[in-house]
Amino acid sequence: MAESTSEAERDPGAREREATVPVPGAAAGGPISHAIFRLARLHRMFAGQLLRRIGLHPGQELVMMHLWELGPQRQIDLVRLLDSDAATMTRTVRRLEQAGFVRRRPSPTDKRASLIEPTAASYALRREVERIWIQLEDISATGFSDDERADALAVLERLEQNLVRADARPPEPDTGH
Amino acid sequence: MAESTSEAERDPGAREREATVPVPGAAAGGPISHAIFRLARLHRMFAGQLLRRIGLHPGQELVMMHLWELGPQRQIDLVRLLDSDAATMTRTVRRLEQAGFVRRRPSPTDKRASLIEPTAASYALRREVERIWIQLEDISATGFSDDERADALAVLERLEQNLVRADARPPEPDTGH
DNA sequence: AGCTGTTTACTGTCCAGACAAGTAAATTAC
DNA sequence: GTAATTTACTTGTCTGGACAGTAAACAGCT
């Protein structure tokens, strides 16, 4: 069943390597899931390349955008806004703080919490970040009409909602066995 | 311009927190990009929850699926198949090796390379992994007709292709200014 | 009051993924 | 046959992300 074992070395690199999916069918698994996986990695990498020029990493720009938009927030608020994780937010905020983009101020009403606020220096980045997101959007949706953009967004959100719902629902005790 | 500065502490937690997008418009950035970001994280988390029961982490199952499907491969082949990164593949393969799911065998024709092959033990996972991917696919595309699945896939691949093309193209010396 | 349970934040420990830099083998150029 | 280049792989370092566990402050309750 593994008769193609030695093929990999007999013919290194002379394969077709068309675009991204040289595999006919079986190893592709769920095609939609696989597409989500690849799209996400590409998208993230692309965002990373754009963001690194201004000293941010993917994910950090979302925190900053919410802070610029909404003003000082507790970490837990940012976590909920971004659907993120408390541990991740602790480290992200610390790195943003070390980079000089946010400042922590103890909450006057809750000794557990601190308020995260953007620094004056950070506002110099705001236009750049917004420009990058517009660029990302334009590149992602190159060649899409307005209708197709709306359609794409609807598809993405529908997929997301399916996962949100399934996530809320516990892993289903047993399929019946 | 930051008149809503003190609002966050005056009213902690009493905000609406509807579903995932409480933000009206501005902080949402590119809606499609943002949707990709959230969908990807959710999808990954979901896959992680399913995979952890069988001792795999997201990403590893893709390596295994290709190995099961195609037989022994060099790392560079896996990198290209998955559109991945050589450094990441080195570590992923090492972890899979430590977990007992793959084995390395020096390539008989190239002293730089080794061939990665699935162990007999790994085949016990194959059905489970395939079941998980079917489950992931079903959950993601719950309520989608066949046409809608095809449409969703087309949208995802079109977005991906746009990013692939833009990535190949250098960052464009200057926008003209 | 005191006790209990929740909320907020943090740390440690995993993992993938990206980038940079380096090594050794193979290939190509001369 | 030697030098330069390319290829395959590795390691170091940084990041986000997820899970588990901790400590402190808070809130509700008897």
Side-chain angles (χ1 to χ4, degrees):
Chain A
M1 59 181 68
E3 60 268 33
S4 69
T5 294
S6 59
E7 194 197 273
E9 62 217 75
R10 286 198 64 249
D11 171 28
R15 214 171 282 112
E16 273 169 291
R17 312 213 189 295
E18 273 291 302
T20 42
V21 192
V23 137
I32 291 181
S33 287
H34 208 271
I36 292 172
F37 193 93
R38 283 191 321 244
L39 171 60
R41 202 176 30 194
L42 245 180
H43 186 266
R44 184 184 192 80
M45 191 176 62
F46 208 95
Q49 288 177 0
L50 297 178
L51 286 169
R52 74 177 322 175
R53 305 176 198 169
I54 58 172
L56 289 178
H57 293 266
Q60 297 183 345
E61 89 282 16
L62 293 175
V63 173
M64 293 311 301
M65 286 167 86
H66 277 96
L67 288 176
W68 287 325
E69 182 75 14
L70 302 172
Q73 302 284 318
R74 300 174 303 162
Q75 285 188 199
I76 188 65
D77 295 323
L78 293 172
V79 166
R80 290 202 252 257
L81 283 166
L82 302 180
D83 263 328
S84 182
D85 175 87
T88 300
M89 192 55 66
T90 291
R91 296 175 186 33
T92 296
V93 166
R94 185 174 58 222
R95 282 161 190 149
L96 285 172
E97 191 180 15
Q98 288 168 349
F101 298 140
V102 305
R103 194 182 9 247
R104 305 174 106 110
R105 176 161 49 94
S107 165
T109 62
D110 188 336
K111 287 202 178 75
R112 297 168 300 179
S114 43
L115 292 175
I116 316 301
E117 58 185 5
T119 61
S122 82
Y123 282 99
L125 291 170
R126 187 172 184 178
R127 298 181 65 88
E128 274 303 304
V129 169
E130 284 163 358
R131 199 184 59 75
I132 284 172
W133 270 73
I134 290 170
Q135 190 179 349
L136 244 181
E137 191 79 357
D138 285 347
I139 286 169
S140 301
T142 298
F144 282 53
S145 68
D146 284 358
D147 276 359
E148 286 170 334
R149 283 195 191 220
D151 184 51
L153 189 58
V155 165
L156 292 172
E157 287 179 343
R158 207 171 154 201
L159 291 169
E160 183 186 354
Q161 279 310 307
N162 278 340
L163 289 171
V164 167
R165 271 191 284 272
D167 200 30
R169 209 180 315 285
E172 182 182 321
D174 204 299
T175 2
H177 174 263
Chain B
M1 56 180 68
E3 59 269 30
S4 68
T5 295
S6 58
E7 194 199 271
E9 61 215 79
R10 288 199 61 249
D11 171 26
R15 214 172 281 110
E16 272 165 295
R17 311 213 191 297
E18 273 293 296
T20 42
V21 191
V23 137
I32 291 181
S33 288
H34 209 268
I36 292 172
F37 192 91
R38 284 191 320 243
L39 170 60
R41 203 177 30 195
L42 246 180
H43 186 267
R44 184 185 193 79
M45 190 177 63
F46 208 96
Q49 287 178 359
L50 296 177
L51 286 169
R52 73 176 323 176
R53 305 177 197 170
I54 58 173
L56 288 178
H57 294 266
Q60 298 182 343
E61 88 283 14
L62 293 174
V63 173
M64 294 310 302
M65 286 168 86
H66 278 96
L67 289 176
W68 288 325
E69 183 74 15
L70 303 173
Q73 302 285 317
R74 300 174 304 162
Q75 285 188 199
I76 188 66
D77 295 322
L78 292 172
V79 166
R80 290 203 251 258
L81 283 167
L82 301 180
D83 264 328
S84 182
D85 175 87
T88 299
M89 191 55 67
T90 291
R91 299 186 228 282
T92 296
V93 166
R94 184 173 58 221
R95 282 163 191 145
L96 285 172
E97 192 180 15
Q98 288 168 349
F101 297 139
V102 305
R103 193 176 16 243
R104 303 172 106 112
R105 177 161 49 92
S107 165
T109 62
D110 189 336
K111 286 202 180 73
R112 297 169 301 177
S114 43
L115 291 176
I116 316 300
E117 58 187 5
T119 60
S122 83
Y123 283 98
L125 289 171
R126 186 171 183 178
R127 298 180 65 87
E128 274 302 304
V129 169
E130 283 164 357
R131 201 184 58 75
I132 285 171
W133 270 73
I134 290 171
Q135 189 180 348
L136 244 181
E137 191 78 357
D138 285 346
I139 287 170
S140 300
T142 298
F144 282 53
S145 69
D146 283 359
D147 276 358
E148 286 169 333
R149 282 194 192 222
D151 184 51
L153 190 58
V155 165
L156 292 172
E157 287 178 344
R158 206 170 155 202
L159 292 168
E160 184 186 355
Q161 280 310 308
N162 278 340
L163 289 172
V164 167
R165 270 191 285 272
D167 200 30
R169 207 180 316 286
E172 181 183 319
D174 203 299
T175 0
H177 176 260

